[in-house]
């Protein structure tokens, strides 16, 4: 599955901006600009967490902002601003990033309480 979305204006949600987001199982590509093009990529396995934000006007026009927190140097916080289908895109990114980490064997696990015995006392 993949998504292609455009950044939209907050006024009526019109796709007038020159920013495109292309989201696949492997990476997120952001293309910005009209005369000077800038293209950035972020691999799915680097995405650690995802946040969905919807302001009042974004909700009225059926849009939202998806923020991906990554381990990437160029984009520690990757924002896809004023896009449609945010609920589906957020879920897709969460599932695809988890699958990509498992596939590349870069799964990070953390035990916060430090109890390595599984809740049983160790003698």
């Amino acid at each position: 599955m993949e998504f292609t979305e455009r950044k939209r204006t907050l006024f009526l949600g019109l796709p007038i901006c020159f920013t495109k987001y292309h989201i696949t199982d492997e990476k997120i590509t952001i293309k910005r600009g009209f005369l000077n093009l800038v293209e950035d990529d972020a691999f799915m396995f680097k995405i650690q967490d995802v946040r969905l934000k919807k302001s009042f006007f974004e909700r009225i026009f059926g849009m939202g902002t998806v923020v991906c927190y990554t381990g990437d140097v160029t984009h520690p916080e990757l924002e896809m601003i004023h896009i449609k289908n945010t609920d589906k895109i957020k879920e897709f990114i969460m599932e695809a990033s988890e699958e990509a980490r498992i596939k590349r064997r870069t799964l990070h696990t953390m035990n916060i309480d430090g109890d390595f015995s599984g809740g049983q006392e160790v003698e």
Side-chain angles (χ1 to χ4, degrees), residues 1 24-26 44-47 91-107:
M1 180 182 260
T24 64
D25 291 336
E26 297 293 321
M44 280 293 182
F45 74 92
K46 291 187 176 187
I47 295 175
E91 290 301 318
F92 175 74
I93 291 173
M94 289 177 62
E95 292 171 8
S97 64
E98 185 68 24
E99 289 176 16
R101 281 194 298 274
I102 291 170
K103 183 178 170 183
R104 288 185 179 246
R105 297 185 181 132
T106 58
L107 183 63

Side-chain angles (χ1 to χ4, degrees), residues 11 16 18 21 25 33 46 49 56 58 60 64 73-75 85 88 92 94 96-97 102 108 111 115 118-119:
F11 176 70
I16 299 173
F18 297 105
Y21 305 104
D25 291 336
K46 291 187 176 187
D49 199 12
F56 178 70
E58 284 178 328
I60 287 174
V73 176
T74 57
H75 292 292
N85 302 316
K88 292 179 185 176
F92 175 74
M94 289 177 62
S97 64
I102 291 170
H108 295 281
N111 189 349
D115 182 15

Side-chain angles (χ1 to χ4, degrees), residues 12 14 35 39 84 108:
L12 299 177
L14 299 173
L35 296 175
E39 185 173 322
K84 297 249 183 202
H108 295 281

Side-chain angles (χ1 to χ4, degrees), residues 4-63:
T4 301
E5 288 289 333
R6 286 181 154 255
K7 180 179 177 182
R8 297 170 179 269
T9 61
L10 203 50
F11 176 70
L12 299 177
L14 299 173
I16 299 173
C17 301
F18 297 105
T19 302
K20 291 182 184 177
Y21 305 104
H22 187 73
I23 305 156
T24 64
D25 291 336
E26 297 293 321
K27 64 183 176 179
I28 297 174
T29 303
I30 301 171
K31 293 181 182 179
R32 293 184 182 104
F34 178 65
L35 296 175
N36 296 323
L37 267 170
V38 176
E39 185 173 322
D40 290 317
D41 294 317
F43 286 103
M44 280 293 182
F45 74 92
K46 291 187 176 187
I47 295 175
Q48 298 165 355
D49 199 12
V50 181
R51 173 184 281 173
L52 173 60
K53 300 189 301 187
K54 290 185 180 184
S55 69
F56 178 70
F57 287 108
E58 284 178 328
R59 286 184 295 160
I60 287 174
F61 297 115
M63 299 182 301

